[in-house]
Amino acid sequence: MAARRAFGDMVPYCLPGVYEHFLTQGAKPAVHFTLEEGGDGDRVVRLLDIALARTVASAAPEKEALLDRWDLPVRSRGDQSADLSPVGEGLFVGGPGIARLAQALENAVLALAARTGAAEFLVPHLVSWETLERAGYARHFPQHVTACRVVGPDLDALDRFAAAEGRGERGAELRDADVCVAPAVCLHLFARLASSTLHTPLVATARGACGRYEAGARGATTRLWSFSMRELVYVGDRAGAETFRQNLLDALIQLADALDLPCRIEPASDPFFIAERSQMTEFQEKFDVKYELRGRLASNGSAVAVSSLNCHSQHFGAAFDIRLPDGSPAHSVCAGFGLDRWAQWLHGWFGDDPRHWPAFLRKHAHEPSTWESP
C-alpha cells in the first residue's frame, strides 16, 4: 500500500510534455497519458519505469500498528464538507469552524508541551538556503522545496517591475533570494544551536507557517502547499531522546483514545523520491525512526497523516555541529502536528458546534474574553 501511494505521488514528476493523464491501481499500476504536440513519449515511459523501480525496490512488509482503530464504528455529527475556500494552488482559507478546531488542538498540544517542560520559541516562515542545505533537506526532498525570488536592489528595476504588465514581464526583474519557504519548524531550532555544546538538553516547541510543494496534490485540501505546524523538539543525549520519544508516543495514543475516532498509529517512512530512496526507507523501517498518526476522513474514508514523530538519531547534531560535553553529536527527536489537517479531520466527525465535540476538545476550546484597552 505504501509503495503504491509513493508511486502515485511520483507520477506527476514523470510527465514532461503530457497534458492529461490518469492512474489505475490494479494488480500492477498503469499510467495512461496523452502527449502534447512534440512530446517525448519514450522519455515519459523511461521516467515512469524509474519511479516504479524506486518504489518497488523500497517496498517492505507492512509493520504492525501501535494503535489500530481504523474500523471503529463512529457516526459523523457534523457537516463533512469543511468550510474551505481555495485562493490559489495549494492555498485555502478555512472558515471560523475550522479555525476554532485548529485552535482547540493547538491549545491541547501546548498543554502537552508544558508537561514536557518545553520552552516556547518564535520562528520565521522563511529558512536560509544554508540551513536547508546543512540539514540535507534539499538533497533528500527536492520535490518539496519552494525557493524565493525578489526584485533586485536597483531603483531602475523597481520602476520596471512596477510598470510591467503581468507576471511574465515582472518575472524578468526577479532575482534569486537567499531564502526558501520553511518546510519544517525544527530546522530553525537546529540552526540556532549550530556550532554549540549542549550542557543541558533543549526541549522546545514552536508554531510556524510551512510550505511543501506537491505536484500531484492540486485541489487536495489535506495536502496543502502552505500550512501551519506545531512542533515539539528535543535535542540532547541519547537516553533523553529515547525517553522524550516514548513519552510522546504514549501521548499520541492517549490523544487518540480521548478523541475516540477511526485512526491508526503506525510506523512510516518519509517521501523520498531520489535515487537513494530504497536505502533511505530501508534505514527508517529497520530502526523505526518515524511513526504517524493517520486519521480516517469522515467524508470519503481515506487516510490523512495528522501527526508524525521522528527520531533523527545524530543526523542534525552532526550536520549543525551541535555537540554534547563529551564531544559527540547531539541526538534529536521532533513531533509535528499539522493543524490544518487536524482541523479538517476533526471537523468531518464533530462539525462546528463545540457541543458536539468530545470533552477533551471542549476543555481546550478557547473563548476570548472581552478586550479592554490598556
Side-chain angles (χ1 to χ4, degrees):
M1 182 65 71
R4 291 189 178 195
R5 185 168 60 245
F7 176 71
D9 289 343
M10 283 194 202
V11 165
Y13 296 86
C14 304
L15 305 172
V18 170
Y19 74 86
E20 64 178 4
H21 78 281
F22 64 93
L23 172 67
T24 57
Q25 295 277 18
K28 290 184 178 181
V31 181
H32 310 264
F33 60 88
T34 303
L35 286 171
E36 298 171 351
E37 185 176 353
D40 186 345
D42 290 340
R43 184 179 179 221
V44 171
V45 171
R46 179 178 64 81
L47 293 175
L48 289 170
D49 285 341
I50 291 173
L52 183 61
R54 289 180 184 178
T55 53
V56 170
S58 61
E62 298 286 337
K63 291 190 175 183
E64 185 176 351
L66 291 182
L67 177 77
D68 191 346
R69 294 188 166 191
W70 198 254
D71 297 321
L72 190 70
V74 180
R75 183 177 64 86
S76 173
R77 286 171 277 177
D79 180 2
Q80 295 178 7
S81 59
D83 181 10
L84 293 165
S85 302
V87 292
E89 182 183 349
L91 309 176
F92 286 81
V93 173
I98 289 287
R100 192 179 300 117
L101 279 164
Q103 185 62 57
L105 193 278
E106 161 85 344
N107 292 342
V109 179
L110 284 173
L112 170 60
R115 199 169 76 201
T116 67
E120 176 86 22
F121 285 80
L122 184 65
V123 300
H125 78 284
L126 299 177
V127 63
S128 71
W129 265 110
E130 179 186 3
T131 295
L132 207 66
E133 294 285 6
R134 200 166 183 178
Y137 197 94
R139 178 163 56 88
H140 294 146
F141 308 108
Q143 74 274 18
H144 288 331
V145 173
T146 301
C148 297
R149 305 184 77 197
V150 295
V151 180
D154 178 330
L155 193 58
D156 289 335
L158 292 178
D159 289 341
R160 289 193 300 269
F161 184 88
E165 294 292 335
R167 176 181 171 184
E169 287 186 20
R170 288 195 171 98
E173 306 301 334
L174 296 176
R175 302 292 180 266
D176 291 340
D178 292 332
V179 296
C180 298
V181 179
V185 170
C186 60
L187 300 183
H188 298 297
L189 300 177
F190 300 132
R192 185 177 189 270
L193 295 174
S195 303
S196 68
T197 299
L198 286 181
H199 295 282
T200 57
L202 173 74
V203 184
T205 185
R207 174 176 175 169
C210 299
R212 298 177 192 172
Y213 178 68
E214 294 191 65
R218 295 188 177 185
T221 60
T222 57
R223 298 176 65 183
L224 302 178
W225 196 345
S226 176
F227 55 92
S228 295
M229 180 82 77
R230 165 66 65 175
E231 291 192 27
L232 281 70
V233 181
Y234 172 94
V235 188
D237 60 22
R238 179 176 179 176
E242 290 176 349
T243 299
F244 186 81
R245 180 196 194 208
Q246 188 57 54
N247 288 342
L248 289 184
L249 268 177
D250 293 341
L252 279 180
I253 293 172
Q254 293 168 8
L255 180 56
D257 285 339
L259 292 171
D260 203 28
L261 290 179
C263 64
R264 290 193 190 102
I265 298 176
E266 57 190 358
S269 60
D270 285 312
F272 300 109
F273 287 10
I274 54 176
E276 296 85 0
R277 172 184 165 82
S278 60
Q279 300 97 298
M280 303 295 289
T281 54
E282 181 182 357
F283 174 84
Q284 289 194 324
E285 290 161 356
K286 181 178 181 180
F287 294 101
D288 285 341
V289 302
K290 186 182 184 74
Y291 283 89
E292 286 183 341
L293 170 56
R294 292 178 168 270
R296 195 185 86 207
L297 293 174
S299 57
N300 58 21
S302 64
V304 58
V306 294
S307 285
S308 65
L309 179 56
N310 305 277
C311 180
H312 312 129
S313 187
Q314 295 174 299
H315 171 76
F316 290 117
F320 287 90
D321 191 27
I322 307 167
R323 301 200 168 269
L324 302 175
D326 65 2
S328 62
H331 293 252
S332 62
V333 173
C334 80
F337 295 78
L339 300 179
D340 308 72
R341 288 183 175 185
W342 265 100
Q344 290 183 59
W345 178 43
L346 297 175
H347 187 275
W349 296 103
F350 301 138
D352 289 344
D353 191 341
R355 291 175 298 179
H356 296 160
W357 298 0
F360 170 79
L361 274 181
R362 289 199 305 273
K363 173 184 174 182
H364 292 287
H366 175 64
E367 293 294 338
S369 58
T370 302
W371 185 83
E372 296 180 2
S373 61

